[in-house]
Amino acid sequence: MKIEKPKRFEHLLESEPIYALESKAEYKDRLFENVTLDLQEVRKASFERVVFRHVTLLESSLEHCEFTDVKFEHCDFSNVNLQDTFMHRTEWKNCKLVGADFSGSRWQNVSVVQSIGDYSNFRFAHLKQVQYAECSLIGADFAYLKLQKIGFNACNLDQVTFTGTAMRGLDLSDCEFDTLNLTLEDLTGCVIAPHQAATFAGLMGLIIK
């Protein structure tokens, strides 16, 4: 799958201090590095050509924000509220997104690499041209999604919920999982490896001896 990457710009940026994010602010051509931001309550801010590097957000909310040509590197956004955000040409690399709430968000041309997104929430999100690679997504919620060209490569998807999400054409054959939460109808057209078939036997009323 071809993913449009963020435009090459980071060599033009200089790190600058930041102590708080503001609602409805426009952040362009910025590098935020080696900072911990607590208790941020931000709505409708926009980020364009921005790099977040070694940034930690604690007990924070960034609802309805827009991210275009943005890179997140070695960041911790665990348990952050990112509902109804828009992300385009965005990369997450070596990040922690445990329990992050992306419900209702729209992602297009987004890659998530070598990151931990256990128990993250994408319910009712719209994901188009999105690639996960070598990620842990244990217990994540991908229910009732609109999927258009999404890929999972070498990811741990154990206990992930796909209920109400049409998985036709989705290839899970090189992913790891013992159980998935879904229905047989959801699974129709999904690509799996032979050794994974036993996981879904119960959905078909089969008993394997």
Side-chain angles (χ1 to χ4, degrees):
M1 182 192 311
K2 185 176 181 180
I3 303 288
E4 289 185 45
K5 294 182 176 294
K7 296 177 180 178
R8 295 179 60 84
F9 60 86
E10 61 268 26
H11 63 290
L12 303 175
L13 305 181
E14 292 186 6
S15 180
E16 54 184 283
I18 185 169
Y19 305 102
L21 298 171
E22 298 181 5
S23 294
K24 299 183 179 180
E26 295 184 0
Y27 298 94
K28 294 184 178 181
D29 303 305
R30 307 280 289 272
L31 169 60
F32 302 135
E33 190 172 26
N34 298 321
V35 62
T36 296
L37 299 172
D38 297 345
L39 303 172
Q40 303 297 301
E41 293 290 337
V42 182
R43 290 176 60 87
K44 298 184 178 180
S46 65
F47 301 83
E48 186 174 354
R49 297 185 302 277
V50 173
V51 174
F52 292 83
R53 183 175 295 143
H54 295 284
V55 173
T56 298
L57 283 179
L58 299 177
E59 301 181 41
S60 297
S61 176
L62 279 70
E63 286 189 75
H64 296 278
C65 292
E66 297 187 5
F67 301 83
T68 302
D69 294 314
V70 173
K71 290 186 176 183
F72 298 90
E73 301 172 354
H74 302 278
C75 293
D76 189 347
F77 278 51
S78 295
N79 299 310
V80 172
N81 178 9
L82 290 147
Q83 293 182 37
D84 299 305
T85 50
F86 173 72
M87 296 197 181
H88 181 46
R89 292 196 301 270
T90 298
E91 291 182 352
W92 299 85
K93 189 170 183 179
N94 296 115
C95 292
K96 288 184 67 177
L97 301 168
V98 178
D101 188 353
F102 295 98
S103 58
S105 295
R106 292 183 298 130
W107 283 19
Q108 185 169 350
N109 290 298
V110 176
S111 61
V112 187
V113 181
Q114 296 176 341
S115 296
I116 302 174
D118 298 347
Y119 307 105
S120 53
N121 181 11
F122 288 85
R123 186 166 288 222
F124 297 108
H126 186 172
L127 307 184
K128 182 178 181 180
Q129 300 291 120
V130 173
Q131 184 75 53
Y132 288 90
E134 301 178 46
C135 293
S136 177
L137 296 165
I138 296 170
D141 191 342
F142 288 91
Y144 305 105
L145 263 64
K146 293 182 180 179
L147 301 181
Q148 293 179 270
K149 296 186 178 180
I150 181 172
F152 294 98
N153 297 119
C155 293
N156 188 337
L157 302 179
D158 195 35
Q159 302 177 51
V160 166
T161 296
F162 285 108
T163 304
T165 297
M167 299 172 65
R168 182 175 295 277
L170 186 61
D171 189 342
L172 305 182
S173 60
D174 69 347
C175 292
E176 176 186 350
F177 52 85
D178 291 326
T179 61
L180 295 177
N181 300 311
L182 42 66
T183 68
L184 188 58
E185 184 179 0
D186 301 326
L187 189 63
T188 301
C190 182
V191 179
I192 60 174
H195 71 275
Q196 297 168 331
T199 299
F200 307 107
L203 295 176
M204 296 179 284
L206 300 177
I207 299 173
I208 299 178
K209 300 178 72 174

